[in-house]
Amino acid sequence: MKQFKRYLTIVVACTSMMQAGWAQQQAPRKALSYGAQYTGKRKDSAMAKFRTNRFGQFIHWGLYSIPGGIWEGKTYSYAAEFLKSSAHLSSATWDSLMYRFNPTKFDAHAWAKMAKQMGVKYMTITTKHHEGFCMWPSQYTDFHVGNSPFKRDILKELVEAYNAEGIDVNFYYSVLDWHHPDWKYDIKTAEDQTQFLRYLDFAYNQLKELATRYPTVKCFWFDGTWDNSIKKNGWWTLEVEKMLKKAIPGVIVNSRLRADDYGARHRDSNGELMGDYESGYERRLPDPVKDLSVTQIDWEACMTIPENQWGFHKDWSLSYVKTPQELVEMLTLTTSLGGNFLLNFGPQGDGAIRTEEKQIAATIADWMKVNGEAIYGGDYAGWKKQDWGYFIQKAGTNKVYMVVFNQPFSNIARLQVPDKVKITKSYLLEAPAQSLLLKETQKNQFNLYLPAVKKAGAFVIVLETEQGGGAGKQYQDAKT
Ligand code: FHN
């Protein structure tokens, strides 16, 4: 009897778990007016170009770049672009920095040349960060570069210089605006909403102004949309997206803009991605083994060089500073999972790029010059992740790249090949004439013998493949 009761208990437990799981899977979809407008990846050429670019330069530059994290001799370790709040400064004090903004060392062409050599294919510039200062002469506010001693239209100079180098330009825009009197963090009353609507009109007009003044912009990168005031106005976020896509056909919008009918962000209340790509990976990357779902969407990770400084901070000794090798591995990991990598630079208040950033850019440039072929147009290969590094599939070709970061002591890189795939050639990207020995060890598994001389840094091996391969010999499965 006891046996039967135990069996019954198990059956009841399994049934209720299945019912719960079934119920969850079948949760009725919510009818949404401001949810995802489409599902799946965009298939148009503009999105394909964004995807192929893979490597971008983020630039955070504004009034916060002048003090660089230090105020009246005191150093504040938090993100430099937050110094106004870290040092508890009044808006009047902070906004007066506009009269000190005169970056005489700013040279858009020099910035663009450095970016070109580093190998980026796009650049995302802060048009307006949370402080509300506009890097273009906006007609909707006096708080802009035209009213600073510098006067010049920084966005115009950057767009022209980067486009001239063949680099796409994207615009970062903070909806959160500490300067504007009608900004609200939350909406509690009808008066709050009336006031906030004035801010939403202002921001809508500024975004339309940006799309009209700079029509070559390829993407709008929204930020500062996490407050309840925006979550309660999801309708506006969809209006903005529609306006931008009408103003510039093909323009791309990241997932940080939208809020749906229930205030859900990035993914709507039915779990569908809003915007054209996921931009929630900030200073973190997906796990290349556990987070493979990310390969089903377009996504981008943005990354600081110090632990958490987007704007220029005078003192980089306050936190760990990533090495160029670590940043190259982050770029590679991101590409291997079908994502874009957006590496941040924080120019100084005088317009110069700090020495450390120039050195890092130069080291990355050296690596990209030899190995960039594995990054541009690279995508998820679907091969089993190995300890030595990452597989990258070159979309539309028969090439799979092995980017080796951890050269095994045995000098043998093991690889497991998907069924029906045959490797016809294997060689170093930098020395294509030098074929590498590949030995089949068991069904779909191979040893690849790496160059005897240990390489100084990460290197790339090209595997040329064809369909219809698979294990030549018959292998006996173990009887256990
Ligand atoms: O608060 C901002 C921060 O300053 C920076 O702009 C980053 C970049 O993605 N976004 C916000 C923090 O998540």
Side-chain angles (χ1 to χ4, degrees):
M1 185 56 182
K2 229 186 241 175
Q3 190 69 7
F4 176 70
K5 275 180 81 178
R6 185 181 301 129
Y7 171 71
L8 192 61
T9 309
I10 291 168
V11 166
V12 166
C14 289
T15 309
S16 54
M17 274 164 62
M18 282 164 63
Q19 281 168 342
W22 186 82
Q24 192 183 15
Q25 279 165 11
Q26 301 306 316
R29 287 177 69 83
K30 289 182 174 171
L32 299 172
S33 303
Y34 316 127
Q37 299 297 292
Y38 68 90
T39 58
K41 293 185 180 181
R42 269 176 51 172
K43 293 180 172 47
D44 58 288
S45 57
M47 196 70 204
K49 175 66 170 54
F50 176 84
R51 205 175 284 135
T52 306
N53 285 346
R54 286 295 179 236
F55 186 20
Q57 179 190 31
F58 213 167
I59 295 179
H60 277 71
W61 198 34
L63 299 182
Y64 45 79
S65 310
I66 299 170
I70 297 176
W71 194 264
E72 294 178 344
K74 183 176 181 204
T75 298
Y76 294 84
S77 60
Y78 191 58
E81 67 279 7
F82 277 83
L83 182 61
K84 177 177 186 282
S85 46
S86 305
H88 307 292
L89 301 174
S90 69
S91 291
T93 300
W94 187 262
D95 295 354
S96 69
L97 283 169
M98 176 169 77
Y99 303 110
R100 290 174 49 195
F101 189 72
N102 191 19
T104 52
K105 294 182 180 171
F106 171 56
D107 178 345
H109 293 287
W111 288 18
K113 282 196 183 330
M114 181 191 81
K116 177 80 173 186
Q117 285 159 4
M118 181 167 61
V120 299
K121 295 291 185 183
Y122 67 104
M123 181 274 281
T124 302
I125 175 70
T126 48
T127 63
K128 180 188 81 154
H129 203 261
H130 310 333
E131 65 184 6
F133 181 69
C134 301
M135 302 296 265
W136 82 99
S138 174
Q139 68 181 83
Y140 298 100
T141 176
D142 294 334
F143 195 42
H144 62 71
V145 66
N147 292 327
S148 74
F150 192 65
K151 298 195 184 313
R152 287 155 43 189
D153 181 345
I154 281 171
L155 288 195
K156 180 175 184 291
E157 294 186 28
L158 284 171
V159 167
E160 288 174 354
Y162 275 77
N163 284 177
E165 293 290 347
I167 299 173
D168 293 340
V169 173
N170 301 341
F171 283 166
Y172 166 109
Y173 184 88
S174 173
V175 178
L176 167 58
D177 187 319
W178 298 330
H179 174 82
H180 197 286
D182 290 327
W183 167 263
K184 304 291 290 181
Y185 287 96
D186 199 357
I187 307 295
K188 303 277 192 197
T189 65
E191 290 72 25
D192 287 348
Q193 180 67 4
T194 303
Q195 179 181 340
F196 193 59
L197 283 175
R198 287 198 296 269
Y199 175 75
L200 294 177
D201 277 350
F202 159 78
Y204 182 96
N205 288 329
Q206 279 207 317
L207 288 160
K208 191 164 190 175
E209 180 183 45
L210 286 169
T212 310
R213 286 178 64 94
Y214 313 99
T216 65
V217 67
K218 293 291 182 285
C219 168
F220 280 83
W221 206 103
F222 286 91
D223 203 11
T225 51
W226 45 76
D227 290 306
N228 284 337
S229 52
I230 291 296
K231 291 178 184 175
K232 292 175 179 174
N233 285 279
W235 63 272
W236 178 82
T237 67
L238 182 55
E239 290 295 312
V240 164
E241 182 174 288
K242 286 180 175 176
M243 175 272 290
L244 292 173
K245 293 195 169 184
K246 184 173 178 211
I248 307 180
V251 81
I252 295 161
V253 175
N254 71 335
S255 63
R256 297 195 186 196
L257 168 62
R258 299 281 303 288
D260 79 355
D261 312 51
Y262 298 88
R265 294 182 55 246
H266 291 270
R267 287 184 179 266
D268 68 19
S269 301
N270 294 318
E272 302 293 350
L273 179 66
M274 294 187 282
D276 297 311
Y277 71 92
E278 175 56 73
S279 62
Y281 285 101
E282 173 170 317
R283 298 188 294 121
R284 65 185 177 94
L285 298 179
D287 181 291
V289 175
K290 298 181 197 129
D291 298 329
L292 297 184
S293 62
V294 76
T295 63
Q296 304 307 306
I297 56 173
D298 285 310
W299 63 281
E300 176 191 63
C302 56
M303 192 58 67
T304 51
I305 297 176
E307 193 275 327
N308 183 20
Q309 294 294 341
W310 297 95
F312 170 72
H313 197 296
K314 288 174 181 166
D315 185 355
W316 265 17
S317 69
L318 296 169
S319 80
Y320 180 70
V321 177
K322 300 172 190 75
T323 65
Q325 292 73 20
E326 284 175 304
L327 295 168
V328 164
E329 181 161 5
M330 290 179 177
L331 166 63
T332 303
L333 185 159
T334 302
T335 303
S336 77
L337 293 176
N340 283 21
F341 187 68
L342 187 62
L343 179 59
N344 185 71
F345 286 70
Q348 301 173 178
D350 64 2
I353 302 289
R354 75 189 305 145
T355 303
E356 300 95 324
E357 289 181 347
K358 283 194 280 195
Q359 289 167 341
I360 286 167
T363 305
I364 293 175
D366 291 343
W367 192 85
M368 287 296 286
K369 213 173 293 163
V370 176
N371 303 293
E373 177 185 322
I375 300 296
Y376 304 127
D379 211 331
Y380 176 58
W383 293 25
K384 185 176 181 294
K385 173 80 174 60
Q386 303 288 344
D387 292 341
W388 44 259
Y390 307 88
F391 286 112
I392 292 173
Q393 170 85 43
K394 177 69 96 178
T397 75
N398 68 335
K399 289 181 177 176
V400 172
Y401 298 90
M402 295 170 53
V403 191
V404 181
F405 284 87
N406 314 304
Q407 190 161 349
F409 285 116
S410 63
N411 232 31
I412 293 170
R414 300 200 191 298
L415 48 144
Q416 187 166 324
V417 177
D419 267 339
K420 305 280 180 282
V421 170
K422 182 179 176 188
I423 297 171
T424 56
K425 277 178 83 175
S426 51
Y427 52 87
L428 275 175
L429 176 59
E430 61 187 285
Q434 183 185 340
S435 282
L436 299 176
L437 176 60
L438 193 67
K439 277 188 181 172
E440 189 173 358
T441 56
Q442 53 178 301
K443 187 169 184 288
N444 295 341
Q445 300 203 25
F446 294 82
N447 279 358
L448 189 140
Y449 293 79
L450 300 173
V453 178
K454 187 156 174 52
K455 311 287 290 176
F459 59 93
V460 176
I461 290 168
V462 184
L463 303 176
E464 292 188 7
T465 66
E466 67 183 30
Q467 294 304 318
K473 300 190 278 291
Q474 292 311 305
Y475 291 90
Q476 185 67 42
D477 288 339
K479 288 185 176 56
T480 55

